[in-house]
Amino acid sequence: MNTDHTPLAEPVSPREIPDAAIAMIDAEGTVVGWTQAAEQLVGYSAGEVVGRSAVHMLPPAEDALRASAFAEQCRVQDGWSGTVTVRHRDGHAIKLTLRISLLWGQDAGIRWLVSVTDIGTLSSEASNGPVRESLLAHAPIGIAVYDPQLRCTWVNDAMERHDGAPRDRRFGRRLRDSLPAVEAEALEVVMRQVLASGTTMVHEYRAWSSADRRREHAFSASFFCLQDAGGQAMGVCSMSVDVTGNRRARERLAILSEASTRIGSTLDFMQTGQELADLAVPLLADIAVVDLLESVPFGLEPSTRIGTTSGRRPVLRRAGVASIDLGVLELPAVREEVIHVPPASSFAAALRTGRSHLEPVLDPYAGPWVDHDPTRAQKVRESGIHSLMVVPIRARRCVLGLALFGRSEELTPFQDDDLLLAEELVTRAALSLDNALQYARQRTAALTLQRDLLPKHVGGGAAVDVASRYVPADTDHGVGGDWFDVIKLSGARVALVVGDVVGHGINAAATMGRLRTAVRTLADMELPPHELLTHLDDTVRRLSEEDADAPGQVPAAVGATCLYAVYDPVTRRCTMARAGHPPPAIIDPQGHATFPDMPAGAPLGLGLGLVPFESVELELPEGTLLALYTDGLVESRNDDIDAGLDRLSAALTQTGSSLEDLCSQVIETLPTQAPADDVTLLLARTRVLEPAQVASWDLPNEPDAVCTARQAAARQLREWGLQHLVTTVELIVSELVTNAIRHSEGPSRLRLIQHQVLTCEVSDGNTSQPRPRHPHNLDENGRGLFLVAQLSRRWGSRSATDGKVVWAEQDLLSTAVAV
């Protein structure tokens, strides 16, 4: 258990140390004293906390009823220490170690002193002080509170054991009444400095302990400035501990300081286990063994909680082994070997209860576990282990494994303080293992999200052949904000999309998924590229506003770029627009690379939509290579973008390579295998539909055109060998041409396209998009589009330069529909 106190001081002049987070609470749970460090830790100033209930800082789940029960528990036990979750002022939760101590005042009044520490913020030096409470838990910590005139107002029972002065003789008096004059004056000088500066200081003094009158004891006192509701100094709190025999404690503090740098250097479960074993030998034990539950090294949390049983015999995997005798390293199993735990052993009990087991004198010939595991018992006898500690590795009410510490060469048996130190070491390893488990869980979720969001099978239909690559900069999580897509549109056309969301990791991937979905939805509306980007920009800004934390708060810009291109294999025309994204590379069939000059457009979501997006239309020969990419491919810390574009052009102009080979060759040209930004590459080689696959007819704006269109369509289908579609297509043509004649004044045009499906298109000069409706039984009109929808695999409409196009698709292998 870690708490926040100052480090033990050398017997020299006072010195400043990192502030401790201290609060004082009255019997009703109201905060009456606060420190600057407490404000830094949880964000609340003294004015916001003093005079209010301490429950205010608990998360919503920690309701008043639970807090009341906890307060009653503290009263019964005269205090409490452990780990709690506290709500920071900005709303996020902080996991803290906490110690609550009971203080007495005049007339039997009581108050509580609370000291808290955020373990994650402790440096190796600052952590020496907080460990004092855990290592010296059996050496009482004396606490006294003095008013601005340095008169004692509150004190705990432990102070009497420090200097022999009963608490009733302290109230209203200064230190000179209980300590020698020289010591008292030195301490009061420190206390005045604390009151004046508000900083926390430590000083070492000497006194005669009531528990040991044979010798003078050394005490280390930490002084904290308590503030009232106005932020003014209301008193000084002193917390002192007997450090007479602190040499052993200092050695342990040095071990824990070393543990902060040597344990948890990576997120590798097995390495963390070995680091724990290596640190314990020879500083604490002669032999150390670390075993993890078999699921943990695979990134899976144990399914069984502390105090519950699964009915299955525990299985462990050896993660760490260390010994002062290299010949004992195989005790009782080598690293990574599977270990079956005897059910009647102290090991099984520690796994089940989550409590440590200390056996100062180990009898390797006795105990139920010897009968269940004679091989292990023989190994123990051969090693000479005579004292044993078994410490469960716990995290979030789960046991992740066991750490075993034994002594063989060192004749002194393990004592309670050795077990306390071992538990501290194991706790630090448990934090690292728990972080690794959470990382593994988040990585799995991130990879699943990325896999689900990016297209699984990319195909360009009859329009293009495609290949792609994605290289995340966040190699740990494997996800980022880049995305690409190939969307099949009507009339054999295809949309090519590449986008880039600022940032990496799961949040960027989630935003990317929302934008990819938005692009697909807008693509289904058959919008021109510049209009699609305009709508996408609005969507991004709305998402930013919805994600704002509070009403009226200025939303954070999502920050994304996008390139959207539509290629038509019938006309060989490619229309594209970009929003702050790099232009595509175009390599003609002769191998010449160009980057088209097209308006850059503003990035999405930045509120710069006053500058409209613009589309550029190019005519591409068959076999033209289009390369869409993100800036991570052409930009690096060491080279400018021109060098990246030259490198890309050189890689793409290599002849005789397939698209997959070209993708690999381009990625291999990256300056480093760990790019600073996500890299996405989408290659598309254009195809052209043969003239025989397309048939079109101009139709006059008169009723006879319907019959003409039906006959022309039927004749063309028979030429293509699609007789089974004649009846269905005739009905579709009749309805679409009839609507064109009825709602448009000029001529119309019928076009049939045979590619992977059969597309029937009717274009006219009316810009209004058709809207299907469900007619009533007696209505004579309104059934045309409803009938088209019933007969088609899908249908829709899109805007054209001089009007609109209404289209419907049929599967080539479908059978005739009877109507």
Side-chain angles (χ1 to χ4, degrees):
M1 180 194 69
N2 292 331
T3 50
D4 194 7
H5 283 288
T6 55
L8 300 178
E10 299 295 339
V12 293
S13 60
R15 57 187 177 88
E16 287 194 358
I17 61 169
D19 284 346
I22 300 292
M24 196 174 189
I25 301 175
D26 65 15
E28 286 72 35
T30 302
V31 179
V32 295
W34 198 247
T35 63
Q36 292 179 357
E39 178 180 354
Q40 296 172 0
L41 183 62
V42 296
Y44 293 95
S45 66
E48 295 173 306
V49 173
V50 175
R52 302 185 64 179
S53 172
V55 179
H56 174 69
M57 288 178 289
L58 295 177
E62 307 288 345
D63 54 27
L65 183 62
R66 183 173 177 182
S68 176
F70 174 70
E72 183 61 31
Q73 177 185 354
C74 291
R75 291 189 182 93
V76 173
Q77 299 178 356
D78 291 341
W80 184 85
S81 62
T83 302
V84 297
T85 300
V86 171
R87 183 176 59 194
H88 192 275
R89 188 178 185 275
D90 63 15
H92 76 271
I94 317 173
K95 193 173 183 180
L96 304 173
T97 57
L98 178 146
R99 180 183 181 120
I100 302 177
S101 304
L102 175 64
L103 303 182
W104 297 97
Q106 287 182 312
D107 301 326
I110 66 169
R111 284 190 177 178
W112 303 93
L113 193 81
V114 181
S115 60
V116 293
T117 301
D118 182 357
I119 281 185
T121 63
L122 289 178
S123 65
S124 59
E125 179 180 354
S127 61
N128 289 349
V131 174
R132 177 174 53 194
E133 284 199 41
S134 55
L135 288 182
L136 303 179
H138 300 291
I141 296 178
I143 304 175
V145 178
Y146 303 88
D147 64 16
Q149 288 73 43
L150 306 185
R151 296 171 300 195
C152 182
T153 55
W154 301 90
V155 67
N156 73 340
D157 292 332
M159 281 300 298
E160 182 176 349
R161 280 172 277 181
H162 284 190
D163 54 22
R167 66 170 181 251
D168 292 338
R169 288 176 47 193
R170 296 178 184 271
F171 297 130
R173 299 182 181 183
R174 294 169 58 172
L175 284 173
R176 68 183 64 167
D177 297 317
S178 56
L179 291 177
V182 174
E183 298 288 356
E185 181 61 29
L187 290 176
E188 289 189 353
V189 169
V190 176
M191 294 166 68
R192 292 188 186 97
Q193 292 176 356
V194 170
L195 280 172
S197 65
T199 58
T200 302
M201 304 187 76
V202 66
H203 188 69
E204 194 168 287
Y205 68 96
R206 298 184 179 275
W208 292 94
S209 169
S210 62
D212 183 8
R213 290 292 183 179
R214 295 173 299 176
R215 58 175 177 164
E216 194 177 43
H217 283 235
F219 295 89
S220 179
S222 301
F223 296 93
F224 317 101
C225 180
L226 294 173
Q227 298 177 338
D228 58 18
Q232 302 299 315
M234 59 171 285
V236 179
C237 172
S238 167
M239 301 182 72
S240 59
V241 62
D242 190 338
V243 294
T244 306
N246 67 352
R247 177 180 178 182
R248 187 173 177 82
R250 290 179 190 271
E251 293 175 352
R252 280 154 169 71
L253 291 173
I255 295 175
L256 291 177
S257 178
E258 192 170 353
S260 64
T261 59
R262 290 179 55 182
I263 297 179
S265 61
T266 69
L267 291 173
D268 183 272
F269 300 97
M270 303 297 281
Q271 182 170 337
T272 300
Q274 187 61 49
E275 289 170 347
L276 173 59
D278 289 339
L279 178 66
V281 176
L283 297 179
L284 174 63
D286 298 328
I287 298 171
V289 173
V290 179
D291 296 335
L292 300 177
L293 284 176
E294 192 176 28
S295 63
V296 172
F298 297 99
L300 302 176
E301 294 186 9
S303 57
T304 305
R305 297 273 180 176
I306 294 176
T308 63
T309 57
S310 63
R312 294 179 296 176
R313 186 175 180 179
V315 178
L316 304 175
R317 187 176 295 274
R318 181 125 305 163
V321 182
S323 172
I324 59 172
D325 182 3
L326 297 180
V328 191
L329 286 180
E330 296 185 0
L331 168 72
V334 297
R335 193 164 180 257
E336 298 190 4
E337 185 174 337
V338 173
I339 310 296
H340 295 277
V341 180
S345 66
S346 57
F347 314 127
L351 286 172
R352 183 176 61 256
T353 64
R355 292 192 291 269
S356 301
H357 174 73
L358 170 63
E359 202 156 345
V361 180
L362 176 66
D363 186 352
Y365 295 93
W369 68 278
V370 174
D371 298 330
H372 286 86
D373 196 349
T375 302
R376 184 189 297 260
Q378 181 62 30
K379 287 282 189 179
V380 171
R381 287 191 287 268
E382 293 174 355
S383 69
I385 296 177
H386 61 81
S387 188
L388 181 70
M389 294 186 296
V390 181
V391 181
I393 305 173
R394 300 178 299 177
R396 290 183 290 114
R397 299 197 64 230
C398 287
V399 175
L400 307 181
L402 295 176
L404 283 63
F405 305 95
R407 278 185 176 168
S408 54
E409 300 294 330
E410 171 65 44
L411 299 180
T412 304
F414 285 123
Q415 303 296 326
D416 287 340
D417 59 344
D418 294 312
L419 180 61
L420 196 61
L421 175 59
E423 289 177 335
E424 282 286 349
L425 293 177
V426 171
T427 296
R428 306 211 172 193
L431 289 173
S432 298
L433 292 170
D434 188 46
N435 288 337
L437 279 173
Q438 294 187 52
Y439 159 77
R441 182 173 61 250
Q442 292 177 1
R443 183 175 187 274
T444 300
L447 290 175
T448 301
L449 175 64
Q450 184 82 4
R451 185 171 56 250
D452 290 343
L453 292 179
L454 289 178
K456 299 178 177 60
H457 304 288
V458 179
V464 292
D465 297 319
V466 294
S468 61
R469 290 291 186 276
Y470 171 71
V471 181
D474 187 354
T475 55
D476 290 335
H477 290 86
V479 294
D482 285 10
W483 90 92
F484 64 93
D485 214 340
V486 180
I487 307 170
K488 295 179 182 179
L489 304 176
S490 62
R493 299 172 307 134
V494 66
L496 306 173
V497 191
V498 167
D500 183 1
V501 175
V502 174
H504 313 293
I506 193 169
N507 291 332
T511 302
M512 172 271 289
R514 299 166 81 179
L515 296 188
R516 177 173 179 257
T517 301
V519 170
R520 279 193 159 262
T521 302
L522 294 170
D524 285 342
M525 298 172 63
E526 304 271 6
L527 297 174
H530 63 280
E531 291 187 20
L532 182 141
L533 292 181
T534 300
H535 286 286
L536 185 62
D537 183 53
D538 292 337
T539 300
V540 171
R541 283 190 281 123
R542 282 201 306 273
L543 291 177
S544 299
E545 294 170 357
E546 292 172 1
D547 291 341
D549 295 333
Q553 177 178 344
V554 178
V558 170
T561 64
C562 183
L563 172 64
Y564 184 82
V566 175
Y567 174 68
D568 187 342
V570 177
T571 64
R572 295 186 291 107
R573 290 192 171 276
C574 181
T575 307
M576 61 186 73
R578 59 183 178 134
H581 202 84
I586 300 179
I587 294 85
D588 63 24
Q590 289 73 41
H592 301 125
T594 59
F595 295 89
D597 183 13
M598 53 186 299
L604 302 170
L606 301 186
L608 304 178
L610 295 178
V611 181
F613 300 105
E614 297 182 44
S615 293
V616 171
E617 187 175 82
L618 304 174
E619 186 172 334
L620 304 179
E622 182 177 8
T624 298
L625 180 65
L626 284 169
L628 284 66
Y629 53 91
T630 54
D631 54 8
L633 184 65
V634 295
E635 294 182 358
S636 66
R637 295 188 179 97
N638 301 323
D639 297 326
D640 59 22
I641 190 172
D642 290 335
L645 294 176
D646 292 340
R647 186 179 66 248
L648 175 61
S649 299
L652 291 176
T653 53
Q654 298 183 29
T655 59
S657 299
S658 67
L659 290 183
E660 289 293 336
D661 291 340
L662 276 178
C663 279
S664 300
Q665 292 167 7
V666 170
I667 298 302
E668 289 171 359
T669 64
L670 290 173
T672 173
Q673 295 301 316
D677 196 4
D678 303 325
V679 173
T680 297
L681 174 65
L682 176 62
L683 297 183
R685 181 168 281 130
T686 63
R687 302 167 65 181
V688 177
L689 292 185
E690 297 294 335
Q693 294 178 266
V694 182
S696 61
W697 302 268
D698 291 326
L699 303 174
N701 188 14
E702 54 188 40
D704 292 343
V706 176
C707 180
T708 302
R710 286 169 58 99
Q711 292 173 356
R715 185 167 54 252
Q716 185 61 56
L717 290 178
R718 293 188 178 95
E719 290 180 9
W720 284 340
L722 301 177
Q723 294 87 344
H724 57 284
L725 296 179
V726 169
T727 303
T728 304
V729 172
E730 282 184 333
L731 291 172
I732 293 174
V733 168
S734 295
E735 298 300 334
L736 296 184
V737 173
T738 298
N739 285 343
I741 294 173
R742 180 176 299 169
H743 300 292
S744 177
E745 296 180 356
S748 56
R749 184 177 181 84
L750 169 65
R751 184 169 71 166
L752 299 181
I753 306 173
Q754 180 195 12
H755 48 111
Q756 293 177 334
V757 295
L758 176 70
T759 303
C760 174
E761 297 181 347
V762 175
S763 57
D764 59 53
N766 189 348
T767 58
S768 298
Q769 299 295 324
R771 296 181 180 275
R773 59 190 179 91
H774 295 280
H776 298 291
N777 293 333
L778 299 180
D779 289 347
E780 296 183 1
N781 300 314
R783 292 181 172 82
L785 292 179
F786 180 77
L787 181 61
V788 170
Q790 296 297 314
L791 296 175
S792 308
R793 65 187 300 269
R794 66 178 191 139
W795 77 278
S797 65
R798 64 177 183 269
S799 298
T801 305
D802 53 356
K804 68 174 181 299
V805 177
V806 184
W807 53 268
E809 291 180 351
Q810 288 286 308
D811 290 318
L812 297 180
L813 300 179
S814 63
T815 58
V817 178
V819 179

